[in-house]
Amino acid sequence: MTYEQVSKETEMSMWESGVKKRVLYAGTGDVVDYQEGTKAVFHYETCKLDEPPTVLDDSRSQEKPMELIFGKKFKLEIWEKCLMSMRVGEVAEYICEPKVVVLYPIVAKSLRDIQQGKQDRPRHCCGMSSDNSLGYADLDELVKHPQPLAFIIELLKVEKKGEYSQEAWQMTPEEKKAALPQLQEEGNNLYRLKQFHQAADKYAEALGCIEQLLIREKPGDGEWIDLDSRKIPLLLNYAQCKLILGDYYPVIEHTTSVINRDEGMFDLT
């Protein structure tokens, strides 16, 4: 199918769902086949429909663009539909009825929390706190008084699964386990290049994968023991990086945990 056919079908579906598209700048390239695992990299701006428009969120104010992995059940489904109607380089405006964006406040809270360091990664889009507040007045107002929103989206890049490095939260358990040797080797290479911050990040990523895998296993079983033992060189390498960088608390914490873990293996008398 041509881009025009795919775009027309997608736009018709969006129109029926309560979304109207307006192309602001035409993109280039072929139709994107968004199979499971495809990653779209894009900028977005979210506005109210008042005059002049109130900007709620703008990804250009963040360190990097938004990334969306298809097939990961992202809570704001309309963004997937919008992206499926676009070519790389295209900029388009999507006017959405309230029923389409009812979950936007929750998604926006999660993304803002990540930007501000309150979350490490977007594993889940969390809900309200016990006082029924999202922690942001403008988002609370959207919850109380749903209204149409406009998304201005610029599609920057599309990568197929296998063409990009997955973060731990994007991986299946099998992919996490398979990634461990590569992450450790990348950390070792960065250490040799004296890029200690980056090396520590790689070791930490590998440790995060192991921790997530351990949750799935029964403590004491063979698989659990094997995974747990793989933490030791990673913890020590991570601690060595932190020692060189002068960050002493994690050095003490992790070397102590290694000693305590295997204290029964050594005769200290």
Side-chain angles (χ1 to χ4, degrees), residues 7 26 55-56 69 86 128 138 178 196 210 218 228 236 251 262:
S7 182
V55 177
L56 296 172
I69 308 294
M86 302 180 71
M128 294 186 178
D138 55 349
F196 302 116
I210 291 176
K218 182 179 179 181
D228 190 56
L236 293 175
V251 177
D262 290 328

Side-chain angles (χ1 to χ4, degrees), residues 91-120:
V91 181
E93 178 186 60
Y94 298 87
I95 306 297
C96 304
E97 294 181 5
K99 65 180 182 180
V100 180
V101 293
V102 66
L103 290 178
Y104 180 77
I106 296 174
V107 173
K109 168 192 165 50
S110 180
L111 295 174
R112 291 182 189 184
D113 285 351
I114 293 165
Q115 180 187 1
Q116 296 176 20
K118 298 178 183 178
Q119 290 185 27
D120 292 331

Side-chain angles (χ1 to χ4, degrees), residues 18 20 66 82 102 106 155 205 215:
K20 183 177 180 180
M66 177 70 182
C82 292
V102 66
I106 296 174
L155 181 56
E205 187 176 349
I215 294 174

Side-chain angles (χ1 to χ4, degrees), residues 44-113:
Y44 70 92
E45 181 179 294
T46 307
C47 303
K48 293 183 179 180
L49 300 189
D50 50 2
E51 199 58 52
T54 299
V55 177
L56 296 172
D57 296 288
D58 187 345
S59 64
R60 288 179 178 79
S61 66
Q62 303 172 16
E63 292 183 1
K64 61 180 183 178
M66 177 70 182
E67 298 179 354
L68 191 154
I69 308 294
F70 280 72
K72 296 297 183 180
K73 298 182 179 180
F74 187 68
K75 283 191 176 295
L76 197 62
E77 294 180 7
I78 189 57
W79 274 4
E80 291 190 355
K81 291 185 178 180
C82 292
L83 292 165
M84 289 174 66
S85 76
M86 302 180 71
R87 301 191 210 196
V88 173
E90 182 177 325
V91 181
E93 178 186 60
Y94 298 87
I95 306 297
C96 304
E97 294 181 5
K99 65 180 182 180
V100 180
V101 293
V102 66
L103 290 178
Y104 180 77
I106 296 174
V107 173
K109 168 192 165 50
S110 180
L111 295 174
R112 291 182 189 184
D113 285 351

